[in-house]
Amino acid sequence: MKKEVCSVAFLKAVFAEFLATLIFVFFGLGSALKWPSALPSVLQISLAFGLAIGTMAQALGPVSGGHMNPAITLALLVGNQISLLRAVFYLVAQLVGAIAGAAILYGLAPSNARGNLAVNALNNNTTAGQAVVAEMILTFQLALCVFSSTDSRRTSPVGSPALSIGLSVTLGHLVGIYFTGCSMNPARSFGPAVIMSRFSSAHWVFWVGPIVGAATAAIIYFYLLFPHSLSLSDRAAILKGTYEPDEDWEENREERKKTMELTAH
């Protein structure tokens, strides 16, 4: 565990999560600013969030995995895909990055366009119970898309994971904005709430909904649909950050990658 934390690759990954979340939050919230000359549309906001997540997944995904979302990080932990320590560091980096992105936007946006900085809230008479279920469903489909499009065990062409994930986020916003402003990401909700000091009594919705939805997707994907054939000791090693896959498995993974590349052309 200590070896993992002290590695340069680990530090780069944590910084990448901070930077990617900062940029994602800045552009996502920026698309929802209430400019007097032109109020944003649902389509505009949805595309902006999707493009932002897709761009950052493409740019920094190879460094950290491109989580940018505490719900996804915790779901991968539930799915036994990352170590406990990495999950903790990623969560802190994501939350700090979200606060930084919201703070930069707050400083740049004119006061007459800033509004509430797109703080998530219950809309159109949506109850807290309805909002939780909506956020669960929205994040469930996002998490399934992330797991499937980035699964190195897949031998069939998967296209561009960054594009798939970006479209999944866009899809969620096209529906979710009417319910809650669409969170699907606790960091996205936490950042502007901190900067605007607006923590409503329903703020918990934007943590519980996404986390439960993503964790449910992880259980279904990694334990029911596509389980890993790992021993208990290997699973424990993954959680500790000491797991080292067999060389044959690594070679097979490279062969699968080559097959995917050849098939895609």
Side-chain angles (χ1 to χ4, degrees):
M1 187 175 290
K2 181 178 179 181
K3 181 180 179 181
E4 180 185 29
V5 175
C6 294
S7 68
V8 174
F10 181 84
L11 297 177
K12 286 182 178 180
V14 173
F15 176 73
E17 281 298 308
F18 162 78
L19 182 61
T21 310
L22 184 159
I23 295 174
F24 164 67
V25 168
F26 175 85
F27 279 96
L29 301 183
S31 69
L33 292 179
K34 301 183 182 299
W35 297 98
S37 57
L39 294 176
S41 66
V42 170
L43 179 59
Q44 172 188 325
I45 297 171
S46 301
L47 286 174
F49 272 97
L51 289 171
I53 205 79
T55 300
M56 288 299 99
Q58 180 70 29
L60 298 175
V63 182
S64 66
H67 298 189
M68 295 170 275
N69 187 336
I72 296 298
T73 297
L74 290 174
L76 288 170
L77 180 64
V78 170
N80 201 224
Q81 303 299 301
I82 59 173
S83 70
L84 176 60
L85 203 60
R86 182 178 291 268
V88 171
F89 274 79
Y90 274 22
L91 288 174
V92 173
Q94 291 158 2
L95 294 177
V96 174
I99 293 172
I104 293 172
L105 182 63
Y106 181 90
L108 291 178
S111 58
N112 65 334
R114 192 179 296 148
N116 63 0
L117 215 61
V119 172
N120 286 117
L122 306 186
N123 301 324
N124 300 310
N125 297 318
T126 301
T127 66
Q130 292 170 331
V132 167
V133 175
E135 286 291 339
M136 285 174 57
I137 296 172
L138 297 174
T139 316
F140 179 87
Q141 63 85 23
L142 169 61
L144 273 185
C145 179
V146 171
F147 303 151
S148 177
S149 62
T150 59
D151 193 339
S152 61
R153 297 171 296 169
R154 291 188 61 173
T155 56
S156 58
V158 295
S160 169
L163 177 60
S164 300
I165 295 168
L167 290 174
S168 179
V169 170
T170 299
L171 172 64
H173 278 76
L174 286 172
V175 175
I177 285 178
Y178 296 103
F179 289 92
T180 61
C182 192
S183 173
M184 295 198 297
N185 185 335
R188 173 261 180 269
S189 300
F190 184 72
V194 170
I195 298 304
M196 299 300 294
S197 297
R198 294 187 62 167
F199 286 93
S200 69
S201 59
H203 183 75
W204 62 273
V205 166
F206 310 114
W207 287 81
V208 174
I211 290 173
V212 173
T216 302
I219 293 171
I220 291 175
Y221 188 87
F222 292 115
Y223 296 106
L224 296 179
L225 299 180
F226 302 101
H228 286 270
S229 55
L230 296 173
S231 64
L232 288 177
S233 60
D234 285 339
R235 292 184 182 278
I238 291 174
L239 289 177
K240 294 177 182 177
T242 59
Y243 178 69
E244 294 182 3
D246 295 334
E247 292 183 2
D248 290 341
W249 188 89
E250 287 290 342
E251 292 175 1
N252 291 337
R253 185 173 69 171
E254 292 301 319
E255 288 299 322
R256 287 194 293 270
K257 285 184 178 180
K258 291 179 182 178
T259 301
M260 290 171 61
E261 291 173 358
L262 290 173
T263 309
H265 289 297

